[in-house]
PDB file of all heavy atoms in Angstrom:
ATOM      1  N   ASP U   1      33.943 -66.201 -31.917  1.00  0.00           N
ATOM      2  CA  ASP U   1      34.146 -65.112 -32.897  1.00  0.00           C
ATOM      3  C   ASP U   1      33.004 -64.681 -33.711  1.00  0.00           C
ATOM      4  O   ASP U   1      33.083 -63.754 -34.564  1.00  0.00           O
ATOM      5  CB  ASP U   1      35.335 -65.507 -33.848  1.00  0.00           C
ATOM      6  CG  ASP U   1      36.675 -65.614 -33.067  1.00  0.00           C
ATOM      7  OD1 ASP U   1      36.968 -64.667 -32.317  1.00  0.00           O
ATOM      8  OD2 ASP U   1      37.355 -66.631 -33.210  1.00  0.00           O
ATOM      9  N   SER U   2      31.873 -65.323 -33.502  1.00  0.00           N
ATOM     10  CA  SER U   2      30.634 -64.959 -34.186  1.00  0.00           C
ATOM     11  C   SER U   2      29.987 -63.721 -33.477  1.00  0.00           C
ATOM     12  O   SER U   2      30.139 -63.599 -32.239  1.00  0.00           O
ATOM     13  CB  SER U   2      29.615 -66.108 -34.232  1.00  0.00           C
ATOM     14  OG  SER U   2      30.158 -67.178 -34.946  1.00  0.00           O
ATOM     15  N   PRO U   3      29.220 -62.930 -34.208  1.00  0.00           N
ATOM     16  CA  PRO U   3      28.616 -61.741 -33.580  1.00  0.00           C
ATOM     17  C   PRO U   3      27.567 -62.192 -32.497  1.00  0.00           C
ATOM     18  O   PRO U   3      26.896 -63.144 -32.695  1.00  0.00           O
ATOM     19  CB  PRO U   3      27.898 -61.095 -34.721  1.00  0.00           C
ATOM     20  CG  PRO U   3      28.659 -61.476 -35.956  1.00  0.00           C
ATOM     21  CD  PRO U   3      29.071 -62.941 -35.689  1.00  0.00           C
ATOM     22  N   VAL U   4      27.550 -61.544 -31.422  1.00  0.00           N
ATOM     23  CA  VAL U   4      26.618 -61.743 -30.326  1.00  0.00           C
ATOM     24  C   VAL U   4      25.315 -60.965 -30.566  1.00  0.00           C
ATOM     25  O   VAL U   4      25.398 -59.742 -30.593  1.00  0.00           O
ATOM     26  CB  VAL U   4      27.243 -61.467 -28.970  1.00  0.00           C
ATOM     27  CG1 VAL U   4      26.205 -61.607 -27.852  1.00  0.00           C
ATOM     28  CG2 VAL U   4      28.422 -62.413 -28.638  1.00  0.00           C
ATOM     29  N   LYS U   5      24.202 -61.648 -30.734  1.00  0.00           N
ATOM     30  CA  LYS U   5      22.990 -60.925 -31.076  1.00  0.00           C
ATOM     31  C   LYS U   5      21.886 -61.092 -30.052  1.00  0.00           C
ATOM     32  O   LYS U   5      20.936 -60.431 -30.138  1.00  0.00           O
ATOM     33  CB  LYS U   5      22.470 -61.455 -32.438  1.00  0.00           C
ATOM     34  CG  LYS U   5      23.473 -61.366 -33.550  1.00  0.00           C
ATOM     35  CD  LYS U   5      22.940 -62.126 -34.791  1.00  0.00           C
ATOM     36  CE  LYS U   5      23.970 -62.141 -35.897  1.00  0.00           C
ATOM     37  NZ  LYS U   5      23.408 -62.835 -37.066  1.00  0.00           N
ATOM     38  N   GLU U   6      22.092 -61.981 -29.117  1.00  0.00           N
ATOM     39  CA  GLU U   6      21.013 -62.321 -28.170  1.00  0.00           C
ATOM     40  C   GLU U   6      20.696 -61.198 -27.252  1.00  0.00           C
ATOM     41  O   GLU U   6      21.518 -60.762 -26.396  1.00  0.00           O
ATOM     42  CB  GLU U   6      21.452 -63.517 -27.330  1.00  0.00           C
ATOM     43  CG  GLU U   6      21.587 -64.805 -28.160  1.00  0.00           C
ATOM     44  CD  GLU U   6      20.289 -65.325 -28.681  1.00  0.00           C
ATOM     45  OE1 GLU U   6      19.252 -64.881 -28.155  1.00  0.00           O
ATOM     46  OE2 GLU U   6      20.345 -66.177 -29.593  1.00  0.00           O
ATOM     47  N   GLU U   7      19.467 -60.631 -27.361  1.00  0.00           N
ATOM     48  CA  GLU U   7      19.079 -59.572 -26.462  1.00  0.00           C
ATOM     49  C   GLU U   7      18.828 -60.035 -25.050  1.00  0.00           C
ATOM     50  O   GLU U   7      18.751 -59.213 -24.184  1.00  0.00           O
ATOM     51  CB  GLU U   7      17.775 -58.939 -27.093  1.00  0.00           C
ATOM     52  CG  GLU U   7      17.982 -58.242 -28.437  1.00  0.00           C
ATOM     53  CD  GLU U   7      16.715 -57.729 -29.037  1.00  0.00           C
ATOM     54  OE1 GLU U   7      15.696 -57.821 -28.339  1.00  0.00           O
ATOM     55  OE2 GLU U   7      16.778 -57.126 -30.068  1.00  0.00           O
ATOM     56  N   LYS U   8      18.558 -61.312 -24.890  1.00  0.00           N
ATOM     57  CA  LYS U   8      18.266 -61.854 -23.584  1.00  0.00           C
ATOM     58  C   LYS U   8      19.446 -62.132 -22.671  1.00  0.00           C
ATOM     59  O   LYS U   8      19.343 -62.572 -21.530  1.00  0.00           O
ATOM     60  CB  LYS U   8      17.444 -63.127 -23.718  1.00  0.00           C
ATOM     61  CG  LYS U   8      16.099 -62.864 -24.336  1.00  0.00           C
ATOM     62  CD  LYS U   8      15.303 -64.186 -24.484  1.00  0.00           C
ATOM     63  CE  LYS U   8      14.000 -63.981 -25.160  1.00  0.00           C
ATOM     64  NZ  LYS U   8      13.150 -65.303 -25.284  1.00  0.00           N
ATOM     65  N   LEU U   9      20.669 -61.863 -23.249  1.00  0.00           N
ATOM     66  CA  LEU U   9      21.899 -62.111 -22.485  1.00  0.00           C
ATOM     67  C   LEU U   9      22.055 -61.146 -21.365  1.00  0.00           C
ATOM     68  O   LEU U   9      21.661 -59.960 -21.517  1.00  0.00           O
ATOM     69  CB  LEU U   9      23.084 -62.025 -23.409  1.00  0.00           C
ATOM     70  CG  LEU U   9      23.379 -63.279 -24.328  1.00  0.00           C
ATOM     71  CD1 LEU U   9      24.435 -62.892 -25.299  1.00  0.00           C
ATOM     72  CD2 LEU U   9      23.818 -64.469 -23.478  1.00  0.00           C
ATOM     73  N   PRO U  10      22.645 -61.538 -20.249  1.00  0.00           N
ATOM     74  CA  PRO U  10      22.953 -60.613 -19.167  1.00  0.00           C
ATOM     75  C   PRO U  10      23.884 -59.496 -19.684  1.00  0.00           C
ATOM     76  O   PRO U  10      24.723 -59.685 -20.522  1.00  0.00           O
ATOM     77  CB  PRO U  10      23.607 -61.479 -18.126  1.00  0.00           C
ATOM     78  CG  PRO U  10      23.217 -62.850 -18.467  1.00  0.00           C
ATOM     79  CD  PRO U  10      23.014 -62.944 -19.906  1.00  0.00           C
ATOM     80  N   ARG U  11      23.836 -58.325 -19.004  1.00  0.00           N
ATOM     81  CA  ARG U  11      24.685 -57.237 -19.429  1.00  0.00           C
ATOM     82  C   ARG U  11      26.113 -57.504 -19.259  1.00  0.00           C
ATOM     83  O   ARG U  11      26.921 -57.051 -20.100  1.00  0.00           O
ATOM     84  CB  ARG U  11      24.317 -55.980 -18.598  1.00  0.00           C
ATOM     85  CG  ARG U  11      22.938 -55.400 -18.947  1.00  0.00           C
ATOM     86  CD  ARG U  11      22.742 -54.067 -18.145  1.00  0.00           C
ATOM     87  NE  ARG U  11      21.419 -53.462 -18.515  1.00  0.00           N
ATOM     88  CZ  ARG U  11      20.986 -52.341 -18.032  1.00  0.00           C
ATOM     89  NH1 ARG U  11      21.707 -51.673 -17.135  1.00  0.00           N
ATOM     90  NH2 ARG U  11      19.790 -51.872 -18.381  1.00  0.00           N
ATOM     91  N   GLU U  12      26.482 -58.365 -18.245  1.00  0.00           N
ATOM     92  CA  GLU U  12      27.899 -58.629 -18.020  1.00  0.00           C
ATOM     93  C   GLU U  12      28.495 -59.402 -19.161  1.00  0.00           C
ATOM     94  O   GLU U  12      29.712 -59.289 -19.558  1.00  0.00           O
ATOM     95  CB  GLU U  12      28.112 -59.346 -16.716  1.00  0.00           C
ATOM     96  CG  GLU U  12      27.351 -60.593 -16.579  1.00  0.00           C
ATOM     97  CD  GLU U  12      27.533 -61.284 -15.191  1.00  0.00           C
ATOM     98  OE1 GLU U  12      28.558 -61.003 -14.551  1.00  0.00           O
ATOM     99  OE2 GLU U  12      26.585 -61.967 -14.747  1.00  0.00           O
ATOM    100  N   VAL U  13      27.631 -60.266 -19.763  1.00  0.00           N
ATOM    101  CA  VAL U  13      28.081 -61.048 -20.912  1.00  0.00           C
ATOM    102  C   VAL U  13      28.221 -60.194 -22.073  1.00  0.00           C
ATOM    103  O   VAL U  13      29.171 -60.234 -22.894  1.00  0.00           O
ATOM    104  CB  VAL U  13      27.156 -62.237 -21.201  1.00  0.00           C
ATOM    105  CG1 VAL U  13      27.520 -63.004 -22.485  1.00  0.00           C
ATOM    106  CG2 VAL U  13      27.048 -63.142 -19.982  1.00  0.00           C
ATOM    107  N   LEU U  14      27.264 -59.286 -22.355  1.00  0.00           N
ATOM    108  CA  LEU U  14      27.317 -58.380 -23.546  1.00  0.00           C
ATOM    109  C   LEU U  14      28.564 -57.471 -23.434  1.00  0.00           C
ATOM    110  O   LEU U  14      29.165 -57.183 -24.418  1.00  0.00           O
ATOM    111  CB  LEU U  14      26.000 -57.564 -23.590  1.00  0.00           C
ATOM    112  CG  LEU U  14      24.717 -58.364 -23.939  1.00  0.00           C
ATOM    113  CD1 LEU U  14      23.552 -57.468 -23.785  1.00  0.00           C
ATOM    114  CD2 LEU U  14      24.844 -58.943 -25.325  1.00  0.00           C
ATOM    115  N   ARG U  15      28.817 -56.986 -22.203  1.00  0.00           N
ATOM    116  CA  ARG U  15      29.998 -56.101 -21.952  1.00  0.00           C
ATOM    117  C   ARG U  15      31.253 -56.867 -22.311  1.00  0.00           C
ATOM    118  O   ARG U  15      32.166 -56.342 -22.920  1.00  0.00           O
ATOM    119  CB  ARG U  15      30.006 -55.545 -20.544  1.00  0.00           C
ATOM    120  CG  ARG U  15      28.991 -54.468 -20.299  1.00  0.00           C
ATOM    121  CD  ARG U  15      29.354 -53.725 -19.056  1.00  0.00           C
ATOM    122  NE  ARG U  15      29.248 -54.616 -17.839  1.00  0.00           N
ATOM    123  CZ  ARG U  15      28.175 -54.736 -17.093  1.00  0.00           C
ATOM    124  NH1 ARG U  15      27.065 -54.018 -17.358  1.00  0.00           N
ATOM    125  NH2 ARG U  15      28.145 -55.510 -16.051  1.00  0.00           N
ATOM    126  N   LEU U  16      31.325 -58.107 -21.857  1.00  0.00           N
ATOM    127  CA  LEU U  16      32.489 -58.946 -22.082  1.00  0.00           C
ATOM    128  C   LEU U  16      32.671 -59.179 -23.595  1.00  0.00           C
ATOM    129  O   LEU U  16      33.799 -59.158 -24.066  1.00  0.00           O
ATOM    130  CB  LEU U  16      32.305 -60.289 -21.310  1.00  0.00           C
ATOM    131  CG  LEU U  16      33.531 -61.243 -21.422  1.00  0.00           C
ATOM    132  CD1 LEU U  16      34.833 -60.633 -20.861  1.00  0.00           C
ATOM    133  CD2 LEU U  16      33.196 -62.540 -20.744  1.00  0.00           C
ATOM    134  N   ALA U  17      31.602 -59.543 -24.308  1.00  0.00           N
ATOM    135  CA  ALA U  17      31.686 -59.748 -25.728  1.00  0.00           C
ATOM    136  C   ALA U  17      32.100 -58.479 -26.474  1.00  0.00           C
ATOM    137  O   ALA U  17      32.878 -58.627 -27.385  1.00  0.00           O
ATOM    138  CB  ALA U  17      30.279 -60.168 -26.232  1.00  0.00           C
ATOM    139  N   THR U  18      31.608 -57.306 -26.060  1.00  0.00           N
ATOM    140  CA  THR U  18      32.008 -56.077 -26.736  1.00  0.00           C
ATOM    141  C   THR U  18      33.468 -55.809 -26.482  1.00  0.00           C
ATOM    142  O   THR U  18      34.233 -55.407 -27.431  1.00  0.00           O
ATOM    143  CB  THR U  18      31.130 -54.875 -26.189  1.00  0.00           C
ATOM    144  OG1 THR U  18      29.808 -55.160 -26.451  1.00  0.00           O
ATOM    145  CG2 THR U  18      31.536 -53.608 -26.811  1.00  0.00           C
ATOM    146  N   ALA U  19      33.918 -56.027 -25.264  1.00  0.00           N
ATOM    147  CA  ALA U  19      35.378 -55.830 -24.884  1.00  0.00           C
ATOM    148  C   ALA U  19      36.215 -56.770 -25.758  1.00  0.00           C
ATOM    149  O   ALA U  19      37.310 -56.297 -26.263  1.00  0.00           O
ATOM    150  CB  ALA U  19      35.619 -56.003 -23.418  1.00  0.00           C
ATOM    151  N   TYR U  20      35.773 -58.030 -25.892  1.00  0.00           N
ATOM    152  CA  TYR U  20      36.588 -59.013 -26.728  1.00  0.00           C
ATOM    153  C   TYR U  20      36.671 -58.540 -28.112  1.00  0.00           C
ATOM    154  O   TYR U  20      37.757 -58.586 -28.779  1.00  0.00           O
ATOM    155  CB  TYR U  20      35.931 -60.360 -26.601  1.00  0.00           C
ATOM    156  CG  TYR U  20      36.602 -61.377 -27.533  1.00  0.00           C
ATOM    157  CD1 TYR U  20      37.918 -61.778 -27.382  1.00  0.00           C
ATOM    158  CD2 TYR U  20      35.800 -61.964 -28.551  1.00  0.00           C
ATOM    159  CE1 TYR U  20      38.474 -62.717 -28.208  1.00  0.00           C
ATOM    160  CE2 TYR U  20      36.391 -62.907 -29.412  1.00  0.00           C
ATOM    161  CZ  TYR U  20      37.704 -63.234 -29.221  1.00  0.00           C
ATOM    162  OH  TYR U  20      38.255 -64.189 -30.084  1.00  0.00           O
ATOM    163  N   THR U  21      35.589 -58.053 -28.709  1.00  0.00           N
ATOM    164  CA  THR U  21      35.579 -57.588 -30.107  1.00  0.00           C
ATOM    165  C   THR U  21      36.568 -56.413 -30.307  1.00  0.00           C
ATOM    166  O   THR U  21      37.317 -56.464 -31.245  1.00  0.00           O
ATOM    167  CB  THR U  21      34.197 -57.174 -30.576  1.00  0.00           C
ATOM    168  OG1 THR U  21      33.310 -58.284 -30.383  1.00  0.00           O
ATOM    169  CG2 THR U  21      34.165 -56.693 -31.980  1.00  0.00           C
ATOM    170  N   ILE U  22      36.529 -55.544 -29.351  1.00  0.00           N
ATOM    171  CA  ILE U  22      37.445 -54.292 -29.471  1.00  0.00           C
ATOM    172  C   ILE U  22      38.893 -54.829 -29.294  1.00  0.00           C
ATOM    173  O   ILE U  22      39.735 -54.350 -30.099  1.00  0.00           O
ATOM    174  CB  ILE U  22      37.048 -53.259 -28.347  1.00  0.00           C
ATOM    175  CG1 ILE U  22      35.598 -52.703 -28.628  1.00  0.00           C
ATOM    176  CG2 ILE U  22      38.119 -52.209 -28.331  1.00  0.00           C
ATOM    177  CD1 ILE U  22      35.116 -51.791 -27.550  1.00  0.00           C
ATOM    178  N   GLN U  23      39.158 -55.621 -28.325  1.00  0.00           N
ATOM    179  CA  GLN U  23      40.523 -56.097 -28.140  1.00  0.00           C
ATOM    180  C   GLN U  23      41.081 -56.884 -29.389  1.00  0.00           C
ATOM    181  O   GLN U  23      42.257 -56.770 -29.663  1.00  0.00           O
ATOM    182  CB  GLN U  23      40.577 -56.914 -26.869  1.00  0.00           C
ATOM    183  CG  GLN U  23      40.371 -56.099 -25.540  1.00  0.00           C
ATOM    184  CD  GLN U  23      40.229 -57.016 -24.347  1.00  0.00           C
ATOM    185  OE1 GLN U  23      40.265 -58.226 -24.469  1.00  0.00           O
ATOM    186  NE2 GLN U  23      39.959 -56.421 -23.194  1.00  0.00           N
ATOM    187  N   LYS U  24      40.130 -57.682 -29.911  1.00  0.00           N
ATOM    188  CA  LYS U  24      40.534 -58.455 -31.034  1.00  0.00           C
ATOM    189  C   LYS U  24      40.939 -57.575 -32.185  1.00  0.00           C
ATOM    190  O   LYS U  24      41.947 -57.810 -32.919  1.00  0.00           O
ATOM    191  CB  LYS U  24      39.442 -59.404 -31.415  1.00  0.00           C
ATOM    192  CG  LYS U  24      39.677 -60.364 -32.506  1.00  0.00           C
ATOM    193  CD  LYS U  24      38.605 -61.434 -32.648  1.00  0.00           C
ATOM    194  CE  LYS U  24      37.292 -60.824 -32.998  1.00  0.00           C
ATOM    195  NZ  LYS U  24      36.242 -61.805 -33.328  1.00  0.00           N
ATOM    196  N   GLU U  25      40.130 -56.578 -32.494  1.00  0.00           N
ATOM    197  CA  GLU U  25      40.385 -55.585 -33.566  1.00  0.00           C
ATOM    198  C   GLU U  25      41.690 -54.854 -33.309  1.00  0.00           C
ATOM    199  O   GLU U  25      42.464 -54.619 -34.232  1.00  0.00           O
ATOM    200  CB  GLU U  25      39.207 -54.639 -33.733  1.00  0.00           C
ATOM    201  CG  GLU U  25      37.970 -55.335 -34.293  1.00  0.00           C
ATOM    202  CD  GLU U  25      36.789 -54.414 -34.361  1.00  0.00           C
ATOM    203  OE1 GLU U  25      36.857 -53.228 -33.837  1.00  0.00           O
ATOM    204  OE2 GLU U  25      35.736 -54.789 -34.885  1.00  0.00           O
ATOM    205  N   GLN U  26      41.888 -54.435 -32.067  1.00  0.00           N
ATOM    206  CA  GLN U  26      43.144 -53.685 -31.718  1.00  0.00           C
ATOM    207  C   GLN U  26      44.376 -54.596 -31.879  1.00  0.00           C
ATOM    208  O   GLN U  26      45.369 -54.091 -32.404  1.00  0.00           O
ATOM    209  CB  GLN U  26      43.066 -53.239 -30.281  1.00  0.00           C
ATOM    210  CG  GLN U  26      42.024 -52.088 -30.077  1.00  0.00           C
ATOM    211  CD  GLN U  26      41.880 -51.732 -28.612  1.00  0.00           C
ATOM    212  OE1 GLN U  26      42.274 -52.457 -27.676  1.00  0.00           O
ATOM    213  NE2 GLN U  26      41.336 -50.502 -28.348  1.00  0.00           N
ATOM    214  N   LEU U  27      44.306 -55.852 -31.492  1.00  0.00           N
ATOM    215  CA  LEU U  27      45.384 -56.768 -31.651  1.00  0.00           C
ATOM    216  C   LEU U  27      45.706 -56.920 -33.117  1.00  0.00           C
ATOM    217  O   LEU U  27      46.883 -56.855 -33.508  1.00  0.00           O
ATOM    218  CB  LEU U  27      45.037 -58.124 -31.052  1.00  0.00           C
ATOM    219  CG  LEU U  27      46.011 -59.207 -31.277  1.00  0.00           C
ATOM    220  CD1 LEU U  27      47.379 -58.945 -30.605  1.00  0.00           C
ATOM    221  CD2 LEU U  27      45.486 -60.597 -30.749  1.00  0.00           C
ATOM    222  N   GLY U  28      44.715 -57.158 -33.983  1.00  0.00           N
ATOM    223  CA  GLY U  28      44.963 -57.325 -35.358  1.00  0.00           C
ATOM    224  C   GLY U  28      45.601 -56.100 -35.965  1.00  0.00           C
ATOM    225  O   GLY U  28      46.557 -56.229 -36.780  1.00  0.00           O
ATOM    226  N   GLU U  29      45.125 -54.950 -35.649  1.00  0.00           N
ATOM    227  CA  GLU U  29      45.689 -53.745 -36.211  1.00  0.00           C
ATOM    228  C   GLU U  29      47.159 -53.553 -35.748  1.00  0.00           C
ATOM    229  O   GLU U  29      47.983 -53.015 -36.517  1.00  0.00           O
ATOM    230  CB  GLU U  29      44.767 -52.522 -35.766  1.00  0.00           C
ATOM    231  CG  GLU U  29      45.109 -51.246 -36.452  1.00  0.00           C
ATOM    232  CD  GLU U  29      44.969 -51.276 -37.974  1.00  0.00           C
ATOM    233  OE1 GLU U  29      44.128 -52.095 -38.422  1.00  0.00           O
ATOM    234  OE2 GLU U  29      45.740 -50.540 -38.636  1.00  0.00           O
ATOM    235  N   GLN U  30      47.427 -53.846 -34.478  1.00  0.00           N
ATOM    236  CA  GLN U  30      48.836 -53.701 -33.941  1.00  0.00           C
ATOM    237  C   GLN U  30      49.780 -54.559 -34.823  1.00  0.00           C
ATOM    238  O   GLN U  30      50.864 -54.138 -35.173  1.00  0.00           O
ATOM    239  CB  GLN U  30      48.919 -54.062 -32.546  1.00  0.00           C
ATOM    240  CG  GLN U  30      48.191 -53.031 -31.608  1.00  0.00           C
ATOM    241  CD  GLN U  30      48.134 -53.523 -30.118  1.00  0.00           C
ATOM    242  OE1 GLN U  30      48.490 -54.668 -29.826  1.00  0.00           O
ATOM    243  NE2 GLN U  30      47.558 -52.750 -29.248  1.00  0.00           N
ATOM    244  N   ILE U  31      49.396 -55.801 -35.075  1.00  0.00           N
ATOM    245  CA  ILE U  31      50.243 -56.734 -35.779  1.00  0.00           C
ATOM    246  C   ILE U  31      50.341 -56.281 -37.232  1.00  0.00           C
ATOM    247  O   ILE U  31      51.451 -56.414 -37.858  1.00  0.00           O
ATOM    248  CB  ILE U  31      49.755 -58.158 -35.677  1.00  0.00           C
ATOM    249  CG1 ILE U  31      49.804 -58.610 -34.204  1.00  0.00           C
ATOM    250  CG2 ILE U  31      50.552 -59.119 -36.551  1.00  0.00           C
ATOM    251  CD1 ILE U  31      49.199 -59.976 -33.955  1.00  0.00           C
TER     252      ILE U  31
END
């Protein structure tokens, strides 16, 4: 749940982290 800051991470990991952040925010807002 900590922000992902590593610029050296593969794009697939960064995309996954971004998707998780968005889904987490959407879930919280729905509840």
Side-chain angles (χ1 to χ4, degrees):
D1 292 310
S2 298
V4 174
K5 307 174 186 177
E6 296 290 346
E7 297 179 358
K8 296 180 181 179
L9 282 169
R11 289 185 179 180
E12 58 184 332
V13 176
L14 293 173
R15 285 196 296 267
L16 183 61
T18 300
Y20 172 64
T21 300
I22 293 172
Q23 291 170 4
K24 185 171 59 173
E25 291 176 352
Q26 290 175 340
L27 174 63
E29 189 61 29
Q30 288 171 1
I31 297 175

